[in-house]
Every structure is written in structure tokens, then in C-alpha cells.
Amino acid sequence: MITAAQLRAARALLGMDQRALAHAAQLSLPTIQRMEASEGVIRGTVDSLMKLVAAIEAAGVDLLNEGDTSLIGGRGVRLREAGVVKRARVPARARRSAGGKAPVLRGRDRST
């Protein structure tokens, strides 16, 4: 399964416009536009979805479902569930000057 947000993010990572993705996936431009405009999981024919995912993966983007891990490594982007708090990664230099404690970032507040 691929969501419209994943599709837009994948295209952005690849620096592709909708027309280029349509060409790479051998789909029509209106099909790509319709997929990106949908909410949540993209709906379409199995053939169209397989072509889309194959084109994205062939271009170098791995699509991860919730809970998946990347087996081959590489840089990536993942959208966390809303409300999940993550400890900030603070360089060692900054930790030493802050007494060894790393600040905790909450939600969208990144000012700490």
C-alpha cells in the first residue's frame, strides 16, 4: 500500500515532476494527478499501482509501510505518528556544555 503523501514525498526526493513520474511508470498524467490528490491510501488498478511502485523503487526510493525497517540501509524519511515524542540528537559538545543532558523536543516545539 502507498499513500498519496508517500507518493508526493517520493517524487520530491527524486526531484521528479508528475509528468516525469507518469512517463517512468508508463501511466497517464491524469492518473498520477488523481493518485496524488486522493486522501490516505491510493486507490487504483493493481496494474497501475504495481507500475507506480516499480517506477519509484527503480528510481531509488524505498517505500516503507508502518512498522517496516529498511534492510539495505541508506538515508530516508519516515512520518511518525502524531503525538510521538522523540529525544533530540544533540552533538557531544552541546551535551557537555549542558551538563550531559540532552533536551527533549515535544511535538513541533523545536526551540529547546
Side-chain angles (χ1 to χ4, degrees):
M1 291 190 298
I2 178 174
T3 66
Q6 282 178 300
L7 175 54
R8 291 187 300 270
R11 217 172 34 78
L13 285 170
L14 295 169
M16 296 178 95
D17 63 13
Q18 290 177 330
R19 188 174 306 278
L21 180 58
H23 178 74
Q26 298 178 346
L27 296 170
S28 70
L29 178 58
T31 296
I32 299 296
Q33 291 170 334
R34 188 171 45 255
M35 288 176 167
E36 285 194 5
S38 65
E39 291 186 29
V41 176
I42 292 174
R43 294 174 36 184
T45 66
V46 172
D47 184 54
S48 294
L49 293 171
M50 289 180 68
K51 285 180 178 181
L52 176 67
V53 169
I56 290 170
E57 290 179 345
V61 169
D62 290 329
L63 298 168
L64 302 175
N65 288 318
E66 186 176 335
D68 283 354
T69 58
S70 175
L71 300 177
I72 57 175
R75 295 182 181 264
V77 178
R78 168 168 276 168
L79 182 63
R80 284 192 316 265
E81 289 184 32
V84 174
V85 177
K86 182 178 178 200
R87 268 185 81 95
R89 295 182 77 194
V90 178
R93 236 183 335 218
R95 281 194 303 265
R96 283 190 297 270
S97 67
K101 294 184 180 179
V104 175
L105 302 181
R106 304 211 185 272
R108 296 201 183 273
D109 180 19
R110 304 281 192 239
S111 60
T112 308

